[in-house]
Amino acid sequence: MAKFKEECGLFGIFNHPEAANLTYLGLHALQHRGQEGAGIVSSDEIKLYTEKGIGLVSDIFSKEKIDKLQGNSAIGHVRYSTAGSSDLANTQPIYVTSSMGKMAIAHNGNLTNANKLKKHLEQNGAIFQTDSDTEVIIHLIAKSKKKSFLDRIIFALKKCEGAYSLLFLMKDMIIAARDPRGFRPLVLGTIKNSYVLASETCAFDLVEAETLREIKAGEIVTINEKGISSCSPLENQNKKAFCIFEHIYFSRPDSYVFGSSVYMTRKQLGRQLAKEHPIKADYVIPVPDSGVASAIGYSEESRIPLELGLLRNHYVGRTFIEPQQNIRNFGVKLKLNSIKEVLNKKKVIVIDDSIVRGTTCRKIIKMIKDAGATEVHVRISSPPTKDSCYYGIDTPDKSDLIANDLSVEQIRRYILADSLGYLSLRGLRNSVQKFSKYNVKNNYCVACFTSKYPTEIESR
Ligand code: SF4
């Protein structure tokens, strides 16, 4: 069950006659990363063209709008506002005219020193048009005295702390960059003679692109008519800090992120959970969709059959109208319903990815018990979420996180479960390593479980 607000998704393409169309499709595949707004900026090497809006990709872009996005290169963005409000001005890509020409920028992540940088820039005369941290990068680029765009971007990014996967579109090139700790994913692929970039490989599958490799942490890649070139001016001695929640919840299971399959990793989380917290029951029940892959793993390991005791309504958008009649747990019932034939008189193990505030979990368990289940044992495929994220995920304030001040037993009582088990941090680290091509076990950010942040946080 989605309990965190998602972050942002990026897509870019260079040198393809259908650049805007494919960007539109790529953004569709990345819609799970942000549903508040989306935008595309294209280039025909003379001019840049832009279309943006609030809402879902399918609501914003019509055929007429896509037709206006001329040229062979484009970048696109889906957003959930993690820094800055959710109005149109904050929707990306942000499009600006500078002394070096027109430029568009799309950002996934969150700068942890944005306030400090902004204050300094304002004291030196900069005027900000949005409250987005991405505009800080634009002002730093504009302030640089360097000759080339690339050198100006390097100048700007060297001053930035925190999480950023970025795409820049100029009239004749795309530049992609990833912060030195690599918080957010960014991958590079090809379609014949074109290059494509995306937050997740599921976008490549839709446009039939071949994945080449990840943009490395601290790497800046330039794509222009000469081909592709790379430099790593941002790399430093800091340990990598890939966001482990990309594997637990954010990324789509059909994607590969940080060198491993999200689906296989998520299933392994369930297997490990079954080893750490076994219990006898009639069925393993996933909370759809986030708990499905881990529930399959739990079921395989425990040899307890998997059943769909909860069904999700995929077509519900935002609902503004509530019935006047007081329907208990209305919000959860809009998204989920129980299957009584499965749950009645059964002992069940319910699998989900995390518990944030605990209110949704409590309502789901109530719904399962109302359907006749005699025992409900909750298993969570991550450790207790105790602290907020400052790297581009909109988690609630620390004081709203149930695990921040309640013990596991206290949480169990609050959510009305018969037992509750969380995956251990060690089990989580070992599971993400299992299907990775690289030695990444200790290269993950796990700060929302440990409160040990990989960077300084100015707003804590
Ligand atoms: Fe990911 Fe949590 Fe780190 Fe944020 S704090 S980057 S959600 S692991």
Side-chain angles (χ1 to χ4, degrees), residues 442-455:
N442 295 316
N443 282 342
Y444 276 92
C445 173
V446 291
C448 43
F449 312 124
T450 61
S451 306
K452 289 183 186 145
Y453 291 90
T455 66

Side-chain angles (χ1 to χ4, degrees), residues 183-184 243-245 250 388-391 393 445-448 453:
F183 283 100
R184 300 282 147 231
C243 171
I244 209 155
F245 248 107
F250 301 127
S388 307
C389 177
Y390 298 89
Y391 305 115
I393 306 296
C445 173
V446 291
C448 43
Y453 291 90

Side-chain angles (χ1 to χ4, degrees), residues 339-411:
I339 301 180
K340 294 175 187 63
E341 286 68 20
V342 172
L343 298 168
N344 193 25
K345 297 189 181 139
K346 293 289 187 288
K347 295 178 187 173
V348 295
I349 304 167
V350 175
I351 310 286
D352 207 353
D353 61 283
S354 54
I355 302 177
V356 181
R357 291 183 172 88
T359 44
T360 304
C361 188
R362 184 183 157 108
K363 287 173 187 168
I364 291 170
I365 294 170
K366 182 87 180 48
M367 184 188 274
I368 293 170
K369 288 199 167 168
D370 286 349
T374 53
E375 286 177 26
V376 181
H377 301 278
V378 175
R379 297 294 179 268
I380 301 296
S381 61
S382 63
T385 305
K386 293 186 169 173
D387 221 325
S388 307
C389 177
Y390 298 89
Y391 305 115
I393 306 296
D394 191 34
T395 44
D397 190 72
K398 177 179 170 144
S399 57
D400 291 331
L401 297 168
I402 193 166
N404 181 249
D405 59 357
L406 294 194
S407 67
V408 173
E409 173 54 19
Q410 286 170 319
I411 298 170

